[in-house]
Amino acid sequence: MTLTATVLDAPDAHALAAFYRRLLGWATEREEPGWVTLRAPGGGPGLSFQTEPAYARPVWPAAPGDQQMMTHLDIEVDDLDAAGAHAVTTGATPAGYQPQDDVRVYLDPAGHPFCLWVR
């Protein structure tokens, strides 16, 4: 078995893929109605996006009864401040709750949390 991609649902797969294309600098590998796959320049598992008309934005951190996140992405960076500024420029929103000093949580345009972190 080979893991080929992580898939994120969104109200508009193409819009969310465009955000991650700007954020990560990855290229589009496959694009069709309601589906986009991005791949890192060096290869490895990709990131795919699927249009889901019934998509509900997750709440983070979630309280009982809230739509919870099903997954989040961890993205290692060299400089949290510079990477965070880039994330905001590309359309991310800083999460209101930041649990760690060496990690910054952001929300993508569809509300999926992702973490920027330094080793």
Side-chain angles (χ1 to χ4, degrees):
M1 290 186 220
T2 303
L3 176 66
T4 58
T6 297
V7 180
L8 297 177
D9 287 351
D12 181 337
H14 297 272
L16 191 57
F19 164 77
Y20 279 101
R21 192 178 304 112
R22 291 188 308 270
L23 180 72
L24 299 171
W26 289 12
T28 300
E29 179 181 82
R30 181 175 163 205
E31 187 166 7
E32 57 191 58
W35 184 271
V36 180
T37 298
L38 304 180
R39 186 87 47 206
L47 193 54
S48 295
F49 307 90
Q50 173 177 278
T51 297
E52 172 52 63
Y55 176 77
R57 288 176 71 94
V59 176
W60 191 88
D66 287 342
Q67 173 64 45
Q68 297 187 10
M69 69 174 170
M70 298 299 291
T71 190
H72 73 274
L73 304 175
D74 285 342
I75 302 168
E76 184 178 359
V77 299
D78 294 326
D79 181 325
L80 278 178
D81 293 333
H86 172 66
V88 169
T89 299
T90 61
T93 303
Y97 175 64
Q98 299 293 330
Q100 299 164 281
D101 291 336
D102 59 345
V103 175
R104 296 290 181 277
V105 181
Y106 291 85
L107 306 176
D108 70 22
H112 299 286
F114 66 92
C115 298
L116 302 179
W117 66 283
V118 293
R119 190 168 302 272

